[in-house]
Amino acid sequence: AGRGGARQGKMAAGGAADAQARFGHSVKGLLTEKVTSCGTDVIALTKQVLKGSRSAELLGQAARNMVMQEDAILHSEDSLRKMAIITTHLQYQ
């Protein structure tokens, strides 16, 4: 009876080792999936940050362009006023 118990003990130990190996592979698989998922999320986040910084850069450029246009408009307005004065003087002559 002692030998049968020893054999069953070895089989149980072997089954437990197999279960542990399967569990280890399962955990490794899940861990690999999680790492891949986190990597994908980091890439997406990086793209968003870069997109945001590019947007800020474009807004800054647009603001600079508007200031330049405003200066040109003010200069044109001043020139038109001067031309109106000259026109009035020419009409009197």
Side-chain angles (χ1 to χ4, degrees):
R3 280 187 153 178
R7 188 179 299 162
Q8 282 180 346
K10 281 184 182 179
M11 287 176 67
D18 285 346
Q20 251 184 339
R22 282 195 303 273
F23 178 74
H25 286 299
S26 174
V27 168
K28 284 180 186 177
L30 289 173
L31 187 58
T32 301
E33 285 178 28
K34 281 291 182 188
V35 168
T36 302
S37 174
C38 286
T40 303
D41 291 347
V42 167
I43 290 169
L45 178 63
T46 304
K47 285 180 181 177
Q48 279 300 116
V49 168
L50 290 173
K51 193 179 194 182
S53 67
R54 181 74 178 131
S55 294
E57 185 182 323
L58 290 173
L59 281 173
Q61 184 65 42
R64 285 190 292 276
N65 289 343
M66 277 183 66
V67 168
M68 287 179 4
Q69 291 299 319
E70 187 178 18
D71 285 345
I73 289 169
L74 290 174
H75 181 71
S76 297
E77 198 175 37
D78 190 44
S79 296
L80 282 172
R81 238 184 270 115
K82 287 177 183 176
M83 286 166 54
I85 292 169
I86 292 169
T87 304
T88 304
H89 283 293
L90 288 173
Q91 284 173 349
Y92 285 133
Q93 293 177 3

